[in-house]
C-alpha cells in the first residue's frame, strides 16, 4: 500500500504522493514524482493514441506513478502498456493505480529504460525525463518498431530557448536563437536532434505533433526505417539567420557566418489528418485541449519563424494594433495565422517589409 491522495485525471483515478508539484518543471517531494500541471501533456498522449486508433504496444519509459501508463491503458482501447521506471518507490504507485482502475493491460516494470529498450520493441515509446531527453534518445530509438511513434519531452527550456547557449551547443550540438522566436527555435532544435539521432540508425521521421507549452517542449514523430527516410529527414534540417535591425529571418541548408543558428528542424510540426481526429471530450483539461487542437489545426507550420506583435511595435516605435485587426489586414494579402507558442505571436507567408507596412496601417486603424 502507498500513502497518497486519489485524484481524478481524465477518466482515470490516480493515487499520487500527497505532496506533489502543481506547476513549473516540478520537483520530487515524496520519493516519487508527480506534477498536476502535466495533466494536459498526458491528455495529449491519450487523444493522439486514440486518434491513431490501432492496437499498440506502449512503453512509458519514465512512468513515475504510472499516471500516463494507466491513463493510456484505461482510456485508449487496444493498448498493451509497460509502465517502467528505474525508481523502486514508483512501482508501488503503479501497482496501486493499476488496481484502482482495474486495468489488465498495464504491466509495472522496474528497469533502467536502456535495459528495457535493449530487449523489447514497441509501437509507442515515451520519454518524459527531468530536463533533457538527449541521454536516452539512442535507447528510445532502439526500442521503436517499424512505423512506431516516438514521443519526447524536454524540460530544459533555458538551453533550448537560448538562455544558456553553451549548454544547448553541448547537449544538442545546435546554436539556439534568442528573442521573440526562441521557443519555436527551441522546439525545432529538439526535433532536429531527434532527426539527427534517427539518421545515425538509418531511420527518418514524420512529425505528428510538436508543441511548446508551460515549461516544456514536446514532439511526437512517426519513425520511418531506411536510408532513404533518413536522407529525406536530414534534408529538412536548416540553419537560420536573424537580423535584429530589420527583423528579417532567413533560412539556409548550409551553415555559414550569417546562418549561424541551428541546425534545427525546418519541416512541418503537425500531421493535420491525425490532429483532426483528436477529440478533447472527457480529457482532464478539456477546455485547454479544445483550444490547442484549434490552434494546432490552423497554424502555418512550414514557415519558420513566428513573429510577435511587440517585436514590430518596438522596432517601428509605434503602439501595437489590435491583434484581430492586424490578422485581418495581413490575411487580405497573404496567409497569416496565430501560433500556439504565444498569444501575441503570428506566422505569415508575407515578407517582413509587407508585414511592417500592414502593421503601420493596422495601428492607424482604431
Ligand atoms: C519527470 S518524471 C516522469 C513523470 C511521469 N511521466 C508522469 O507523467 O507523471 C521522470 C522519471 O524518470 C525516471 N528515470 C530517470 N532515469 C531513468 C532511467 N534511466 N530509466 C528509467 N526511468 C528513469 C525517474 O525515476 C522519474 O520517475
Amino acid at each position: 500500500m502507498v500513502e497518497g491522495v486519489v485524484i481524478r485525471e481524465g477518466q482515470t483515478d490516480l493515487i499520487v504522493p500527497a505532496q506533489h508539484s502543481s506547476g513549473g518543471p516540478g520537483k520530487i517531494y515524496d520519493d516519487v514524482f508527480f506534477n498536476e500541471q502535466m495533466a494536459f501533456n498526458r491528455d495529449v498522449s491519450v487523444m493522439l493514441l486514440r486518434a491513431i486508433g490501432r492496437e499498440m504496444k506502449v512503453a512509458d519509459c519514465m512512468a513515475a506513478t504510472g499516471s500516463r501508463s494507466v491513463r493510456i491503458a484505461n482510456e485508449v482501447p487496444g493498448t498493451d502498456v509497460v509502465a517502467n521506471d528505474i525508481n523502486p518507490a514508483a512501482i508501488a504507485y503503479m501497482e496501486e493505480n493499476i488496481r484502482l482502475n482495474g486495468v489488465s493491460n498495464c504491466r509495472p516494470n522496474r528497469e533502467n529504460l536502456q535495459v528495457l529498450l535493449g530487449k523489447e520493441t514497441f509501437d509507442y515509446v515515451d520519454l518524459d525525463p527531468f530536463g533533457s531527453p538527449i541521454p536516452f534518445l539512442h535507447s528510445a530509438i532502439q526500442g521503436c518498431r517499424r512505423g512506431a511513434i516516438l514521443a519526447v519531452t524536454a524540460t530544459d527550456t533555458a538551453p533550448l530557448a537560448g538562455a544558456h547557449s553553451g549548454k544547448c551547443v553541448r547537449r544538442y550540438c545546435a546554436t539556439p536563437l534568442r528573442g521573440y522566436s526562441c521557443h519555436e527555435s527551441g522546439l525545432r532544435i529538439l526535433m532536429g536532434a531527434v532527426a539527427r539521432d534517427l539518421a545515425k540508425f538509418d531511420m527518418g521521421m514524420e512529425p505528428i505533433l510538436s508543441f511548446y507549452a508551460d515549461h516544456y517542449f514536446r514532439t511526437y514523430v512517426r519513425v520511418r526505417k531506411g536510408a532513404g527516410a533518413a536522407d529525406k529527414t536530414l534534408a529538412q534540417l536548416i540553419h537560420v539567420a536573424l537580423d535584429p535591425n530589420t527583423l528579417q529571418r532567413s533560412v539556409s541548408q548550409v551553415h555559414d557566418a550569417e546562418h549561424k543558428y541551428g541546425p534545427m528542424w525546418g519541416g512541418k510540426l503537425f500531421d493535420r489528418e491525425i490532429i483532426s481526429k483528436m477529440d478533447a471530450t472527457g480529457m482532464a483539461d478539456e477546455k485547454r485541449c479544445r483550444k490547442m487542437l484549434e490552434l494546432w489545426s490552423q497554424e502555418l507550420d512550414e514557415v519558420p519563424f513566428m513573429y510577435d506583435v511587440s517585436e514590430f511595435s518596438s522596432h517601428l516605435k509605434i503602439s501595437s494594433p489590435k491583434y484581430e485587426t492586424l490578422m485581418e489586414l495581413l490575411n487580405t494579402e497573404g496567409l497569416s495565422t496565430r501560433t500556439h507558442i504565444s498569444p501575441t505571436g503570428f506566422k505569415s507567408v508575407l515578407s517582413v517589409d509587407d508585414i511592417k507596412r500592414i502593421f503601420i496601417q493596422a495601428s492607424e486603424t482604431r
Side-chain angles (χ1 to χ4, degrees), residues 33 42 61-62 64 67 85-87 111-113 128 130 136:
F33 180 86
R42 293 183 282 269
C61 301
M62 309 173 107
S67 54
D85 204 285
I86 201 168
N87 177 1
E111 265 173 322
N112 188 327
L113 65 87
D128 188 23
F130 298 124
F136 310 108

Side-chain angles (χ1 to χ4, degrees), residues 195 198-199 202-206 221-226 229-231 233:
L198 281 164
D202 278 347
M203 294 186 202
M205 69 183 212
E206 290 163 7
V221 301
R222 193 182 294 283
V223 171
R224 294 290 182 208
K225 298 205 173 180
D231 291 342
T233 295

Side-chain angles (χ1 to χ4, degrees), residues 25 28 31-35 38 41-42 60-68 84-87 90 111-114 126-131 136 155:
I28 301 185
D31 283 0
V32 180
F33 180 86
F34 182 74
N35 186 351
M38 293 299 263
N41 185 306
R42 293 183 282 269
D60 184 11
C61 301
M62 309 173 107
T65 60
S67 54
R68 191 187 309 266
N84 180 72
D85 204 285
I86 201 168
N87 177 1
E111 265 173 322
N112 188 327
L113 65 87
Q114 286 150 346
D126 196 302
L127 286 184
D128 188 23
F130 298 124
F136 310 108
T155 60

